[in-house]
Amino acid sequence: MRILYLLFSLLFLALQVSPDTPIACRFRRGFCKYGGCRPPYYQAGSCGGLRSSCCGSLWS
């Protein structure tokens, strides 16, 4: 049971340390797109690639 708590804490730290991942983008209710975001979406971050953007909606 202790190892389960350790795994959850490591997963939490991994998500906190690397905010430029597609998983972190989904937590921000966004989606990954190559290039820039077009209206009505705004750039909420990056997805870790060279030109990939995390696009979020103003209405969700």
Side-chain angles (χ1 to χ4, degrees):
M1 202 63 181
R2 291 182 196 162
I3 195 146
L4 188 61
Y5 292 127
L6 179 66
L7 289 175
F8 280 134
S9 63
L10 289 176
L11 178 67
F12 180 73
L13 285 176
L15 290 176
Q16 291 290 10
V17 172
S18 57
D20 293 338
T21 61
I23 296 170
C25 182
R26 296 297 290 168
F27 278 126
R28 286 182 272 199
R29 297 180 186 242
F31 60 92
C32 293
K33 179 182 180 298
Y34 184 76
C37 303
R38 294 191 174 151
Y41 302 106
Y42 66 96
Q43 185 169 356
S46 69
C47 288
L50 291 174
R51 295 187 51 170
S52 61
S53 302
C54 177
C55 300
S57 175
L58 294 173
W59 309 109
S60 63

